[in-house]
Amino acid sequence: MKKIYLSLAMALLTVVGLFAAQETVLKTFEFGTSKNNPEGTTGYYLKSGYGTKEVNIPKANFPKSLKAGDIVRLYYRADISNITDTKLPQVQYAVKVGDAWTWTQLFDHVDLTGYDKTTGAGTFDYTIGDTQTVYKEYRDECEEFDDPFIADVAEEIAAFQKDGLYIKGQLAYLDKIEVIQVGEAVDPDAGLTEKSSYEKEFDFGAWKNDVQIPAKTFKGLALGDKIRVYCQATGAEPQVQLVYKDADWTWTPFVEAGDVDEYYEYDVDSDVVIENLVARGMWLKGNDCTLVKVVVMSKSGQGGGDNPEKPGDLKIGSEWTPDAPLETGSWAKEVVVPSSLFKKADEKSVIRLLFSEYTGGQIQPVLKMMPGYVWTQLADAIDIDDETYDIAIAEIPDMNAKVTSVEDAIKALQTSGLILKGKNIALKGAQLLVPDNGEPEKQYKVSSTTEFDPALESGNWGKELHILKGEFKKVTTESIIRLHMSEWQGGQIQPVIKIGTGWTWTELAQYIDLDDKVFDLDIAEVSKLNADITPEIMVEGLELDGLYLKGKGFVITKMEILNPDNGEPEVEYELVKTATFDPALESGNWSNELHIAKSEFTLVNEQSLIKLIFSTYAGGQMQPVVKLGEAFTWTEIAEYIDLDGAVYELEVAKVAKLNADFTPALLVEGLLNDGLYLKGQKFVLTGMEIWNPKGSAVRDIATDSETIDWNAPVEIYNLQGVRVSDMTPGQLYIVRQGNVVEKVVK
């Protein structure tokens, strides 16, 4: 290709004087001393000849505000003693263009003229954008010979800011370069908004140390955004290297060495870079500088780099403290934050790790993801520089794209906890922080307790433990089932219920690691273990056939049912009626009906508890029936009920759970109309008790008798439950009128 001629290049430089009145020096670069210098001389010496090394003016000297019309001014001293008529002082400017960093001259060698003939001092001005006028005549020829050229002034400015300026020439000592802003300055931040930042002071050393910038910093990163790495220079050549790690955690620099002048700015122009930064964050190495912060800048309206939603005010939802601080060694062992800490976790929760040792420490958080409990690293290594470190649960999918949803992360936390590896740390505890909405923490109280004697031993996944449905009568969708264990370390438990008319075996979880002597199964949160099970389905399964447990390494000694404490006292019952059946009532094999006369139910009301007492019940089934209405219609309360204890409680207030068409009022009506009928198999009924809430239906004092309307019909019973037509003075009787029952003395 032909050279770019001197006359054309120099003609372009005459426009500089038009802007002299508006010049502002933005950057100055002072030259050192060249090895080519004659002895005793200073300044960088331009020595002609093939292979002579060019001098590079670093890109840090070309500010972000650089624009067409700005001036690059060279201060030089001509080597007067060696100048001849045929060998004049000359200079050539070049930049490197494209991914191949191809040497591309801005102009051919220009003779330096106008210098002081005594001292040799002079200046040479190059105006940004003048190259374009020259290249217009030679562009076709450049393309024909596949030679590099600069397409437009934007590419020229980008080349200055990517790798700076290169200078070659002869017979001149270079003293300094000034970059001069001409006319109105350009704001490099125009149209940009700071969207997220991560502040951390970190000394890189001489390319020795690396630091991770967490993935949450890059949430929402988009093409056209800018990443700025702010550093404090500690030496002469401050530089940074920007790195991502791909899905295989391979170290991949996408900026090998960027010069830092207050900050290094990377223009986000790669979908691959975005994908990996959002998934695993960014790593930095550097030289002669200390990291101050990393900032993501976004073009207005793009939404790139959006900060994660702030969780608002937080409070401690649950805490965990080991008996002694847990040390990871130097990546030698695992520390587990137990799953019990995460029972109340949701997408707004934050995990706070507490350290007693952390200087020079690193951690690697890990989840076991379902199905298959797959070991999943959330990060390669996170530097710990404080006694606490927070992990926002909502941001876990941003840490590793293999965690596809927050729900999956919560399920992993609630089944296997949070696993930590690392070095130079001692974990003294952890907290689950939850949003503080100003409402008091929900309080629970024990509604029922079951002692297991002998205790229930799991074996090694070799058998099923069955807690019978009778133990879950006080369970609601807000209950917590609390299992107490005498052995649990290293244990695993799999809770199971049977649901539906097909009694389908339904696992709540593949297994849950036991990490405490108390295991809580929160019914309100059961969907986090199995998305197909709702609290309503869970309660239905418990009432249908109780709870099954499989697993290993645990021994259950006690179970408690905890229900929300609304401040009201627990309902206390009193025994108001006892019946003994002698001879006992035997069911046969669905072949006969057992009848308990209505006289036994005179004290029953809609809050009553009817306890049926059996001497034989193993494998038994029972169908309770009443006769309703004037026609005494046979009406089944349930198709059948499996008997799993010596006592069966028929709770009048909850009869609709057995038959949706029943109400407490209908059951009371049927019992008072013609008593209770029982069919079934394999049971022998020996007695019955009627329990009523204290003071709820039977009045203890005769002076309360004004609640009975004596002008209306009443039913009168003696203390043996036999109905009588009248009362004898001085005797105690039970009088019923509708749903009101009182003890009275005539």
Side-chain angles (χ1 to χ4, degrees), residues 612-684:
L612 301 176
I613 302 168
F614 304 95
S615 61
T616 301
Y617 61 88
Q621 293 180 324
M622 177 184 70
Q623 180 188 61
V625 181
V626 292
K627 293 183 177 179
L628 293 177
E630 294 180 358
F632 285 79
T633 305
W634 181 272
T635 308
E636 301 168 355
I637 298 172
E639 186 174 355
Y640 66 85
I641 297 168
D642 289 312
L643 298 176
D644 52 20
V647 177
Y648 175 78
E649 295 181 358
L650 179 57
E651 194 170 352
V652 177
K654 296 183 179 179
V655 69
K657 288 189 174 182
L658 297 174
N659 184 336
D661 295 329
F662 253 103
T663 65
L666 283 175
L667 179 55
V668 171
E669 176 190 336
L671 293 172
L672 296 177
N673 195 31
D674 196 32
L676 180 66
Y677 291 82
L678 300 174
K679 294 193 71 170
Q681 65 177 7
K682 297 183 180 179
F683 69 82
V684 176

Side-chain angles (χ1 to χ4, degrees), residues 515-589:
D515 44 38
D516 198 355
K517 60 185 176 182
V518 175
F519 172 73
D520 282 353
L521 182 57
D522 191 339
I523 293 179
E525 303 290 338
V526 71
S527 296
K528 293 180 180 179
L529 296 175
N530 186 334
D532 294 328
I533 299 179
T534 65
E536 291 74 19
I537 291 175
M538 180 71 185
V539 170
E540 177 185 339
L542 292 171
E543 292 177 342
L544 180 70
D545 196 35
L547 180 66
Y548 292 83
L549 301 171
K550 296 193 72 171
K552 68 174 184 178
F554 65 83
V555 176
I556 300 175
T557 58
K558 182 172 69 173
M559 181 183 75
E560 294 174 329
I561 306 298
L562 282 67
N563 285 318
D565 186 353
N566 56 13
E568 297 180 2
E570 197 76 20
V571 176
E572 294 185 31
Y573 286 87
E574 62 179 340
L575 180 63
V576 297
K577 173 73 174 177
T578 299
T580 302
F581 305 116
D582 187 15
L585 305 180
E586 298 187 17
S587 61
N589 188 16

Side-chain angles (χ1 to χ4, degrees), residues 455-507:
L456 305 181
E457 298 187 16
S458 61
N460 188 18
W461 294 95
K463 59 182 178 181
E464 302 163 9
L465 305 180
H466 186 200
I467 303 178
L468 302 175
K469 65 181 182 181
E471 307 297 344
F472 299 99
K473 290 191 177 296
K474 296 192 175 181
V475 160
T476 72
T477 55
E478 295 182 308
S479 298
I480 294 175
I481 302 171
R482 176 165 293 171
L483 302 176
H484 294 261
M485 303 181 185
S486 59
E487 295 180 23
W488 74 91
Q489 292 178 329
Q492 294 175 329
I493 192 168
Q494 180 189 59
V496 180
I497 56 174
K498 293 182 178 178
I499 61 176
T501 56
W503 297 64
T504 305
W505 180 271
T506 306
E507 302 167 354

